[in-house]
């Protein structure tokens, strides 16, 4: 059996193991903490919460890490405990939070939680001090972390885990300062590591990816993506995946979205429909509507993208080395990028899906629309 066939068989076995066809499961969250003892077995606690209260926790021993007990063995035991509890109680664990120190010590644990149990692993940095006003919500601060009992530490983790999920137990999006998209809760969710990515492709493909990543890192290239939104469209998920992968490779990449404005969504939808040939002939986009989009993009750029070290600023002033624009309404950002740094590469990714009938019947496009289409199809 070839390596690829073995990998596919493993994927089928995993899918069969985690598939569910019984009654609806109770959805809960979990938090884990581990007490390490010198020359002795460690003690682990996992707390479980639903949307209202803490209702259960488990405590178990873990073998001390040694040459006879590698990290994978310890991770497998944690996975086994979670699987056993989930099957016995007929529950679905959506997310599990853990301290950063634990995630760094047992690096295979996070990808294994996602791959085998369909659990989102959330890694939280914690500080040994009281919370300050400037602390972010996802920064766990504990003035007496080491004095807490093990189950209390696990409960602290699960309470902070719940804050990252919204309606329908879906991970909330995060837009930070400067309209910067925080993918995976600003990379606090660790779904995979480089080994997991490498297993999905052959050696030649992986070598090519490594070559270009090393070249980008050697030259310290900064890449900036610009999109209308960080959610809601099927193609947006590929941007999340790309940023996540580049982050694992160590490439400097940032993703930006503009702040919304009242009434702008309707104009954007009308522009896209017009360019794709879906707009009515007697209702073309007007000059005033185009100016509204231009003003909106310029205002976002002035406030968030053109200051010192911002992405559209000149490269000599800390701006991005490569600008990638995903959507037609944001093409004015390309002009701003060229004005501040004429030699900087700007890539436009055309996501328009022009109707065949519209291309065959040029009368569906006004002269104004034809000019706009040519300008945005470079």
């Amino acid at each position: 059996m070839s390596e690829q066939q073995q990998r596919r068989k493993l994927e089928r076995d995993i899918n069969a193991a985690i598939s569910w066809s019984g009654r609806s499961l109770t959805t809960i969250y979990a938090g884990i903490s581990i007490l390490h003892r010198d020359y002795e077995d460690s003690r682990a606690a996992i707390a479980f919460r639903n949307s209202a209260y803490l209702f259960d926790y488990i405590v178990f021993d873990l073998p001390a890490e040694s040459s006879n007990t590698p990290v994978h063995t310890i991770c497998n035991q944690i996975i086994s405990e979670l699987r056993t509890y989930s099957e016995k109680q007929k529950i679905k664990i959506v997310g599990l939070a853990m301290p950063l120190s634990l995630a760094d010590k047992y690096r295979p644990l996070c990808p294994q939680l996602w791959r085998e149990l369909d659990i989102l692993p959330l890694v939280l940095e914690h500080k040994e001090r009281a919370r300050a006003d400037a602390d972010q919500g996802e920064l766990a601060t504990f003035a007496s972390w080491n004095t807490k009992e093990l189950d209390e530490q696990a409960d602290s983790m699960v309470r902070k885990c719940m804050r990252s999920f919204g309606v329908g137990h879906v991970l909330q999006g995060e837009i930070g300062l400067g309209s910067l998209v925080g993918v995976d809760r600003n990379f606090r969710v660790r779904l995979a590591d480089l080994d997991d990515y490498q297993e999905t492709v052959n050696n030649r493909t992986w070598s090519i990816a490594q070559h270009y990543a090393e070249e980008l890192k050697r030259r310290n290239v900064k890449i900036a993506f610009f999109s209308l939104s960080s959610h809601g469209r099927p193609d947006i998920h590929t941007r999340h995946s790309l940023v996540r992968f580049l982050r694992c490779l160590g490439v400097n990449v940032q993703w930006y979205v503009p702040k919304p404005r009242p009434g702008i969504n309707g104009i954007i939808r009308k522009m896209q429909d017009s360019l794709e040939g879906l707009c009515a002939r007697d209702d073309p986009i007007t000059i005033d509507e185009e100016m509204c989009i231009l003003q909106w993009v310029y205002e976002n750029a002035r406030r968030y993208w053109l200051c010192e070290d911002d992405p559209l600023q000149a490269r000599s002033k800390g701006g991005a080395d490569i600008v990638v624009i995903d959507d037609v309404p944001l093409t004015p950002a390309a002009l701003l990028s060229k004005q501040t740094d004429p030699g900087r590469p700007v890539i436009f990714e055309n996501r328009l899906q022009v109707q065949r009938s519209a291309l065959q019947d040029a009368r569906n496009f006004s002269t104004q629309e034809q000019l706009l289409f040519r300008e945005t199809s470079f």
Side-chain angles (χ1 to χ4, degrees):
M1 184 181 296
S2 66
E3 180 181 351
Q4 186 175 8
Q5 290 175 331
Q6 291 177 350
R7 185 164 58 247
R8 289 178 178 175
K9 182 179 183 300
L10 177 61
E11 291 175 355
R12 288 195 298 268
D13 293 341
I14 292 175
N15 290 334
I18 65 176
S19 62
W20 180 255
S21 58
R23 66 181 179 86
S24 299
L25 300 177
T26 302
T27 303
I28 65 170
Y29 303 90
I32 185 173
S33 184
I34 297 179
L35 175 63
H36 300 283
R37 295 175 289 196
D38 295 337
Y39 309 109
E40 295 182 22
D41 290 349
S42 300
R43 191 83 165 161
I46 302 178
F48 300 98
R49 269 185 174 268
N50 57 22
S51 58
Y53 54 85
L54 171 72
F55 68 87
D56 200 3
Y57 69 90
I58 57 176
V59 179
F60 53 93
D61 291 327
L62 292 173
E65 185 180 348
S66 64
S67 57
N68 297 327
T69 309
V71 172
H72 283 284
T73 301
I74 300 175
C75 294
N76 288 337
Q77 183 173 344
I78 297 174
I79 295 295
S80 177
E81 293 286 346
L82 288 168
R83 180 183 287 113
T84 300
Y85 184 87
S86 180
E87 293 176 352
K88 181 179 179 180
Q89 303 296 331
K90 300 295 188 294
I91 59 174
K92 173 66 179 77
I93 303 173
V94 177
L96 181 143
M98 66 186 74
L100 177 62
S101 56
L102 191 152
D104 289 341
K105 184 176 180 63
Y106 304 118
R107 288 191 173 275
L109 179 59
C110 288
Q112 204 169 346
L113 285 168
W114 173 247
R115 183 175 61 249
E116 297 187 18
L117 299 181
D118 193 34
I119 296 175
L120 280 174
L122 187 66
V123 179
L124 300 179
E125 180 184 1
H126 64 277
K127 301 291 186 181
E128 298 294 338
R129 58 173 173 79
R131 176 175 292 278
D133 293 338
D135 287 336
Q136 298 181 8
E138 289 76 9
L139 178 62
T141 55
F142 306 99
S144 57
W145 173 257
N146 292 327
T147 63
K148 288 180 180 288
E149 295 294 332
L150 192 60
D151 60 307
E152 293 177 322
Q153 293 179 355
D155 182 38
S156 296
M157 285 289 107
V158 67
R159 283 188 283 108
K160 290 170 175 60
C161 176
M162 293 175 59
R163 298 174 187 172
S164 297
F165 292 84
V167 178
H169 307 286
V170 176
L171 192 69
Q172 294 180 350
E174 181 172 330
I175 307 297
L177 294 176
S179 297
L180 179 65
V181 180
V183 176
D184 296 336
R185 298 296 291 174
N186 203 17
F187 303 103
R188 295 182 183 92
V189 176
R190 298 185 181 181
L191 300 180
D193 54 23
L194 287 179
D195 292 336
D196 296 302
Y197 283 110
Q198 186 174 0
E199 291 176 358
T200 62
V201 296
N202 57 40
N203 293 333
R204 181 174 180 272
T205 302
W206 184 250
S207 297
I208 294 174
Q210 288 287 91
H211 168 76
Y212 286 113
E214 291 299 328
E215 183 68 13
L216 290 172
K217 289 189 291 184
R218 182 184 65 81
R219 297 167 58 186
N220 195 25
V221 174
K222 293 187 289 186
I223 304 173
F225 291 100
F226 291 87
S227 304
L228 283 176
S229 173
S230 62
H231 62 279
R233 299 201 319 252
D235 54 277
I236 286 297
H237 300 297
T238 62
R239 181 65 70 234
H240 281 270
S241 302
L242 178 60
V243 173
R244 183 185 302 125
F245 176 54
L246 292 176
R247 173 83 173 196
C248 282
L249 290 173
V251 177
N252 189 344
V253 56
Q254 305 286 359
W255 182 16
Y256 299 89
V257 295
K259 295 289 185 181
R261 173 188 286 186
I264 198 67
N265 286 337
I267 300 176
I268 290 174
R269 182 70 265 175
K270 183 178 179 181
M271 170 185 275
Q272 293 173 335
D273 288 346
S274 179
L275 292 173
E276 292 178 353
L278 300 175
C279 189
R281 299 182 186 180
D282 57 350
D283 188 26
I285 186 169
T286 65
I287 296 296
D288 290 340
E289 290 171 334
E290 288 188 17
M291 290 302 300
C292 184
I293 292 178
L294 287 173
Q295 292 172 357
W296 171 61
V297 176
Y298 287 159
E299 179 66 16
N300 272 274
R302 182 186 64 82
R303 295 176 63 183
Y304 307 116
W305 304 333
L306 283 173
C307 298
E308 190 75 17
D309 294 329
D310 283 347
L312 293 184
Q313 188 54 267
R315 285 171 288 182
S316 60
K317 297 182 180 180
D321 296 290
I322 300 174
V323 172
V324 183
I325 297 176
D326 289 345
D327 298 281
V328 171
L330 294 181
T331 49
L335 177 61
L336 293 173
S337 175
K338 288 296 185 179
Q339 287 177 344
T340 57
D341 193 339
R344 173 168 45 201
V346 178
I347 301 172
F348 175 68
E349 185 176 355
N350 191 351
R351 298 180 181 272
L352 294 175
Q353 299 178 4
V354 182
Q355 302 298 307
R356 181 183 296 272
S357 59
L359 294 176
Q360 293 174 346
D361 186 2
R363 291 175 299 177
N364 286 351
F365 288 94
S366 66
T367 303
Q368 177 185 352
E369 290 166 344
Q370 293 179 31
L371 291 173
L372 181 59
F373 180 77
R374 285 198 294 268
E375 291 174 358
T376 57
S377 298
F378 53 84

PDB file of all heavy atoms in Angstrom, residues 172-187:
ATOM      1  N   GLN A 172     -16.207  33.188  17.340  1.00  0.00           N
ATOM      2  CA  GLN A 172     -16.427  34.576  16.957  1.00  0.00           C
ATOM      3  C   GLN A 172     -15.243  35.112  16.158  1.00  0.00           C
ATOM      4  O   GLN A 172     -14.091  34.777  16.420  1.00  0.00           O
ATOM      5  CB  GLN A 172     -16.629  35.438  18.202  1.00  0.00           C
ATOM      6  CG  GLN A 172     -17.891  35.124  18.978  1.00  0.00           C
ATOM      7  CD  GLN A 172     -18.048  36.008  20.200  1.00  0.00           C
ATOM      8  OE1 GLN A 172     -17.131  36.723  20.577  1.00  0.00           O
ATOM      9  NE2 GLN A 172     -19.214  35.970  20.812  1.00  0.00           N
ATOM     10  N   GLY A 173     -15.563  35.948  15.173  1.00  0.00           N
ATOM     11  CA  GLY A 173     -14.510  36.620  14.431  1.00  0.00           C
ATOM     12  C   GLY A 173     -13.891  37.731  15.260  1.00  0.00           C
ATOM     13  O   GLY A 173     -14.489  38.217  16.225  1.00  0.00           O
ATOM     14  N   GLU A 174     -12.700  38.129  14.877  1.00  0.00           N
ATOM     15  CA  GLU A 174     -12.002  39.171  15.629  1.00  0.00           C
ATOM     16  C   GLU A 174     -11.384  40.165  14.661  1.00  0.00           C
ATOM     17  O   GLU A 174     -10.603  39.788  13.785  1.00  0.00           O
ATOM     18  CB  GLU A 174     -10.918  38.558  16.517  1.00  0.00           C
ATOM     19  CG  GLU A 174     -10.162  39.587  17.343  1.00  0.00           C
ATOM     20  CD  GLU A 174      -9.229  38.954  18.364  1.00  0.00           C
ATOM     21  OE1 GLU A 174      -9.536  37.847  18.844  1.00  0.00           O
ATOM     22  OE2 GLU A 174      -8.203  39.575  18.686  1.00  0.00           O
ATOM     23  N   ILE A 175     -11.768  41.430  14.805  1.00  0.00           N
ATOM     24  CA  ILE A 175     -11.191  42.522  14.025  1.00  0.00           C
ATOM     25  C   ILE A 175     -10.491  43.451  15.005  1.00  0.00           C
ATOM     26  O   ILE A 175     -11.132  44.040  15.877  1.00  0.00           O
ATOM     27  CB  ILE A 175     -12.261  43.292  13.227  1.00  0.00           C
ATOM     28  CG1 ILE A 175     -13.109  42.337  12.383  1.00  0.00           C
ATOM     29  CG2 ILE A 175     -11.595  44.345  12.352  1.00  0.00           C
ATOM     30  CD1 ILE A 175     -12.340  41.603  11.325  1.00  0.00           C
ATOM     31  N   GLY A 176      -9.185  43.567  14.879  1.00  0.00           N
ATOM     32  CA  GLY A 176      -8.409  44.339  15.829  1.00  0.00           C
ATOM     33  C   GLY A 176      -8.174  45.769  15.378  1.00  0.00           C
ATOM     34  O   GLY A 176      -8.873  46.310  14.510  1.00  0.00           O
ATOM     35  N   LEU A 177      -7.174  46.398  15.966  1.00  0.00           N
ATOM     36  CA  LEU A 177      -6.826  47.770  15.619  1.00  0.00           C
ATOM     37  C   LEU A 177      -6.406  47.861  14.156  1.00  0.00           C
ATOM     38  O   LEU A 177      -5.748  46.968  13.627  1.00  0.00           O
ATOM     39  CB  LEU A 177      -5.691  48.259  16.520  1.00  0.00           C
ATOM     40  CG  LEU A 177      -6.023  48.403  18.017  1.00  0.00           C
ATOM     41  CD1 LEU A 177      -4.774  48.788  18.793  1.00  0.00           C
ATOM     42  CD2 LEU A 177      -7.126  49.429  18.232  1.00  0.00           C
ATOM     43  N   GLY A 178      -6.791  48.954  13.513  1.00  0.00           N
ATOM     44  CA  GLY A 178      -6.446  49.131  12.113  1.00  0.00           C
ATOM     45  C   GLY A 178      -7.208  48.216  11.182  1.00  0.00           C
ATOM     46  O   GLY A 178      -6.772  47.966  10.062  1.00  0.00           O
ATOM     47  N   SER A 179      -8.357  47.689  11.644  1.00  0.00           N
ATOM     48  CA  SER A 179      -9.175  46.767  10.841  1.00  0.00           C
ATOM     49  C   SER A 179      -8.403  45.507  10.469  1.00  0.00           C
ATOM     50  O   SER A 179      -8.597  44.932   9.400  1.00  0.00           O
ATOM     51  CB  SER A 179      -9.686  47.462   9.568  1.00  0.00           C
ATOM     52  OG  SER A 179     -10.525  48.544   9.885  1.00  0.00           O
ATOM     53  N   LEU A 180      -7.519  45.076  11.354  1.00  0.00           N
ATOM     54  CA  LEU A 180      -6.725  43.876  11.130  1.00  0.00           C
ATOM     55  C   LEU A 180      -7.521  42.650  11.550  1.00  0.00           C
ATOM     56  O   LEU A 180      -8.022  42.575  12.675  1.00  0.00           O
ATOM     57  CB  LEU A 180      -5.420  43.955  11.924  1.00  0.00           C
ATOM     58  CG  LEU A 180      -4.467  42.764  11.837  1.00  0.00           C
ATOM     59  CD1 LEU A 180      -3.941  42.604  10.416  1.00  0.00           C
ATOM     60  CD2 LEU A 180      -3.309  42.932  12.809  1.00  0.00           C
ATOM     61  N   VAL A 181      -7.643  41.679  10.647  1.00  0.00           N
ATOM     62  CA  VAL A 181      -8.399  40.463  10.926  1.00  0.00           C
ATOM     63  C   VAL A 181      -7.558  39.536  11.802  1.00  0.00           C
ATOM     64  O   VAL A 181      -6.431  39.178  11.441  1.00  0.00           O
ATOM     65  CB  VAL A 181      -8.792  39.743   9.623  1.00  0.00           C
ATOM     66  CG1 VAL A 181      -9.575  38.464   9.934  1.00  0.00           C
ATOM     67  CG2 VAL A 181      -9.609  40.667   8.735  1.00  0.00           C
ATOM     68  N   GLY A 182      -8.110  39.159  12.946  1.00  0.00           N
ATOM     69  CA  GLY A 182      -7.438  38.205  13.828  1.00  0.00           C
ATOM     70  C   GLY A 182      -7.911  36.798  13.516  1.00  0.00           C
ATOM     71  O   GLY A 182      -8.891  36.315  14.094  1.00  0.00           O
ATOM     72  N   VAL A 183      -7.257  36.140  12.587  1.00  0.00           N
ATOM     73  CA  VAL A 183      -7.654  34.787  12.181  1.00  0.00           C
ATOM     74  C   VAL A 183      -7.522  33.838  13.370  1.00  0.00           C
ATOM     75  O   VAL A 183      -6.545  33.888  14.120  1.00  0.00           O
ATOM     76  CB  VAL A 183      -6.783  34.309  11.005  1.00  0.00           C
ATOM     77  CG1 VAL A 183      -7.113  32.872  10.629  1.00  0.00           C
ATOM     78  CG2 VAL A 183      -6.972  35.228   9.806  1.00  0.00           C
ATOM     79  N   ASP A 184      -8.515  32.963  13.528  1.00  0.00           N
ATOM     80  CA  ASP A 184      -8.504  31.978  14.623  1.00  0.00           C
ATOM     81  C   ASP A 184      -8.321  32.656  15.981  1.00  0.00           C
ATOM     82  O   ASP A 184      -7.479  32.252  16.793  1.00  0.00           O
ATOM     83  CB  ASP A 184      -7.403  30.938  14.411  1.00  0.00           C
ATOM     84  CG  ASP A 184      -7.617  30.098  13.168  1.00  0.00           C
ATOM     85  OD1 ASP A 184      -8.771  29.982  12.735  1.00  0.00           O
ATOM     86  OD2 ASP A 184      -6.634  29.567  12.632  1.00  0.00           O
ATOM     87  N   ARG A 185      -9.136  33.693  16.204  1.00  0.00           N
ATOM     88  CA  ARG A 185      -9.043  34.453  17.462  1.00  0.00           C
ATOM     89  C   ARG A 185      -7.622  34.946  17.683  1.00  0.00           C
ATOM     90  O   ARG A 185      -7.015  34.764  18.742  1.00  0.00           O
ATOM     91  CB  ARG A 185      -9.506  33.613  18.645  1.00  0.00           C
ATOM     92  CG  ARG A 185     -10.954  33.167  18.582  1.00  0.00           C
ATOM     93  CD  ARG A 185     -11.918  34.313  18.626  1.00  0.00           C
ATOM     94  NE  ARG A 185     -11.937  34.972  19.930  1.00  0.00           N
ATOM     95  CZ  ARG A 185     -12.625  36.080  20.190  1.00  0.00           C
ATOM     96  NH1 ARG A 185     -13.304  36.668  19.214  1.00  0.00           N
ATOM     97  NH2 ARG A 185     -12.614  36.614  21.387  1.00  0.00           N
ATOM     98  N   ASN A 186      -7.090  35.558  16.644  1.00  0.00           N
ATOM     99  CA  ASN A 186      -5.721  36.081  16.672  1.00  0.00           C
ATOM    100  C   ASN A 186      -4.719  34.957  16.943  1.00  0.00           C
ATOM    101  O   ASN A 186      -3.774  35.111  17.721  1.00  0.00           O
ATOM    102  CB  ASN A 186      -5.581  37.192  17.712  1.00  0.00           C
ATOM    103  CG  ASN A 186      -4.417  38.107  17.408  1.00  0.00           C
ATOM    104  OD1 ASN A 186      -3.898  38.123  16.288  1.00  0.00           O
ATOM    105  ND2 ASN A 186      -3.986  38.858  18.401  1.00  0.00           N
ATOM    106  N   PHE A 187      -4.959  33.825  16.262  1.00  0.00           N
ATOM    107  CA  PHE A 187      -4.082  32.648  16.280  1.00  0.00           C
ATOM    108  C   PHE A 187      -4.004  31.994  17.658  1.00  0.00           C
ATOM    109  O   PHE A 187      -3.037  31.295  17.962  1.00  0.00           O
ATOM    110  CB  PHE A 187      -2.675  33.005  15.784  1.00  0.00           C
ATOM    111  CG  PHE A 187      -2.668  33.607  14.412  1.00  0.00           C
ATOM    112  CD1 PHE A 187      -2.502  34.970  14.231  1.00  0.00           C
ATOM    113  CD2 PHE A 187      -2.864  32.808  13.296  1.00  0.00           C
ATOM    114  CE1 PHE A 187      -2.514  35.529  12.961  1.00  0.00           C
ATOM    115  CE2 PHE A 187      -2.882  33.357  12.022  1.00  0.00           C
ATOM    116  CZ  PHE A 187      -2.702  34.718  11.854  1.00  0.00           C
TER     117      PHE A 187
END
